[in-house]
């Protein structure tokens, strides 16, 4: 079913997502206070409030850093009209710096959304109207984009960024640690140490996340068979793909496809 959700998170201490993840909906991430390191696809950004990120479906991402206040709007593709989808796609995968006026307008809308009486028969219409106006403001906002950059004291080494980029591009190939280290001109221990230090997981674990993300995308956007998708996404066999998919997602690939298509 189409859905629109909004939630707030405030933390007074360091907090990091445990692992990279992706999902089937759009996420509008608004950082109201604080700073965050933001892994988005294969790039790293430094977010300083106020900033906004539009994350489209099935894009791998992760945040970490110190104290912050953020507001998330999660919305399914089926909820969007053509103008709203076009606006989100245009603004996606970049860090948008907000002016003082844009920040105030967005915060006002968010607080109005929180104040909507969810038990009211008009709640759905009120939230849809607020969301529509928010998308209009996003459409009209100045296109102040922020380029990827390293974090000052904990700079992500070029080796790690190159590894992330390589795995995002070559996910469908047979990748092992020895060959990966050779292609990046480093020793395997050096590669493992640096990648785990800055991403908190191994390159092969990250590769699996990318492969599952690509597989979920193909399950929904194509009519390919499970065999075709498993091969296209770099899995050794359809059986292995099915086992890993069910372990991570809780359902089989075919059930996932059926559930997701039912939402459109």
């Amino acid at each position: 079913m189409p859905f629109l959700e909004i939630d707030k998170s405030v933390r007074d201490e360091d907090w990091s997502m445990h692992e990279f993840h992706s999902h089937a909906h759009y996420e509008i991430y608004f950082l109201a206070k604080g700073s965050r390191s933001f892994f988005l696809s294969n790039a790293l950004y430094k977010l300083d409030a106020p900033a906004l990120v539009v994350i489209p479906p099935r894009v791998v991402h992760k945040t970490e850093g110190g104290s912050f206040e953020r507001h998330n709007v999660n919305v399914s593709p089926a909820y969007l009209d053509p103008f709203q989808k076009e606006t989100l796609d245009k603004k996606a995968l970049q860090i948008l710096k907000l002016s003082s006026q844009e920040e105030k307008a967005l915060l006002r809308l968010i607080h109005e959304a929180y104040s909507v009486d969810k038990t009211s028969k008009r709640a759905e219409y009120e939230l849809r109207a607020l969301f529509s106006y928010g998308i209009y403001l996003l459409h009209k906002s100045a296109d102040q984009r922020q380029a990827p950059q390293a974090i000052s004291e904990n700079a992500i080494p070029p080796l790690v960024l190159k590894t992330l980029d390589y795995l995002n591009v070559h996910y469908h190939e047979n990748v092992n640690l020895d060959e990966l280290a050779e292609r990046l001109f480093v020793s395997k221990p050096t590669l493992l140490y640096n990648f785990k230090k800055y991403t908190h997981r191994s390159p092969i674990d990250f590769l699996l996340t990318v492969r599952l993300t690509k597989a979920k995308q193909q399950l929904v956007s194509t009519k390919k068979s499970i065999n075709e998708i498993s091969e296209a996404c770099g899995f050794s066999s359809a059986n292995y793909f099915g086992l890993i998919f069910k372990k991570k997602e809780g359902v089989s690939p075919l059930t996932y496809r059926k559930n997701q298509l039912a939402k459109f």
Side-chain angles (χ1 to χ4, degrees):
M1 293 293 292
F3 70 87
L4 172 70
E5 299 171 346
I6 180 169
D7 71 86
K8 175 181 180 181
S9 179
V10 179
R11 295 195 180 252
D12 297 322
E13 69 286 337
D14 287 354
W15 182 83
S16 300
M17 288 183 175
H18 293 300
E19 59 181 34
F20 292 89
H21 72 287
S22 65
H23 36 63
H25 57 266
Y26 286 85
E27 177 182 334
I28 305 173
Y29 181 102
F30 171 46
L31 184 67
K33 295 179 182 178
S35 298
R36 302 291 288 164
S37 300
F38 208 109
F39 288 93
L40 186 59
S41 186
N42 61 342
L44 174 70
Y45 298 86
K46 172 72 157 55
L47 270 71
D48 292 310
L52 186 144
V53 187
V54 176
I55 306 164
R58 301 175 188 89
V59 169
V60 177
H61 58 284
K62 178 179 184 288
T63 70
E64 57 186 36
S67 60
F68 67 95
E69 176 186 320
R70 71 101 178 111
H71 304 269
N72 268 8
V73 178
N74 299 310
V75 58
S76 64
Y79 187 92
L80 304 171
D81 64 35
F83 170 73
Q84 293 169 346
K85 185 177 186 305
E86 179 184 355
T87 299
L88 291 180
D89 287 340
K90 180 181 178 182
K91 301 289 186 177
L93 297 178
Q94 54 197 312
I95 307 303
L96 303 174
K97 296 299 296 179
L98 302 178
S99 68
S100 176
Q101 183 177 0
E102 290 168 344
E103 177 192 13
K104 290 177 181 177
L106 187 56
L107 278 173
R108 185 166 58 249
L109 272 180
I110 287 172
H111 289 307
E112 285 188 32
Y114 288 141
S115 67
V116 170
D117 180 3
K118 304 301 189 298
T119 64
S120 168
K121 294 181 179 180
R122 301 190 304 271
E124 179 183 346
Y125 302 105
E126 291 181 48
L127 288 173
R128 184 177 286 275
L130 290 169
F131 176 75
S132 296
Y133 186 57
I135 294 296
Y136 173 75
L137 292 178
L138 184 58
H139 169 73
K140 298 293 288 185
S141 66
D143 227 4
Q144 300 183 52
R145 306 180 183 184
Q146 177 181 310
Q149 63 185 67
I151 310 305
S152 56
E153 295 182 359
N154 299 305
I156 303 298
L159 170 61
V160 176
L161 295 179
K162 287 179 181 178
T163 306
L164 289 168
D165 186 61
Y166 184 89
L167 295 175
N168 270 285
V169 173
H170 298 275
Y171 66 91
H172 57 288
E173 300 175 7
N174 183 18
V175 178
N176 62 61
L177 284 176
D178 291 311
E179 292 179 355
L180 181 59
E182 184 178 344
R183 286 182 177 275
L184 296 171
F185 306 103
V186 296
S187 68
K188 185 165 71 172
T190 297
L191 173 61
L192 278 171
Y193 172 79
N194 281 277
F195 199 87
K196 284 188 174 181
K197 179 179 179 181
Y198 292 97
T199 68
H200 311 297
R201 63 194 313 188
S202 73
I204 299 305
D205 286 340
F206 177 78
L207 176 61
L208 179 60
T209 298
V210 175
R211 285 174 171 170
L212 287 171
T213 297
K214 300 296 183 181
K216 286 189 285 186
Q217 183 177 15
Q218 292 195 27
L219 283 167
V220 176
S221 63
T222 75
K223 295 183 179 180
K224 290 181 179 179
S225 68
I226 300 303
N227 282 330
E228 290 173 319
I229 291 175
S230 66
E231 182 178 353
C233 295
F235 291 95
S236 57
S237 70
N239 286 337
Y240 176 68
F241 168 54
L243 288 172
I244 292 296
F245 193 96
K246 189 167 186 178
K247 180 179 179 181
K248 294 290 185 178
E249 300 298 324
V251 294
S252 70
L254 285 177
T255 300
Y256 178 87
R257 169 181 270 171
K258 180 180 177 180
N259 292 343
Q260 292 299 313
L261 292 178
K263 297 178 180 180
F264 291 88

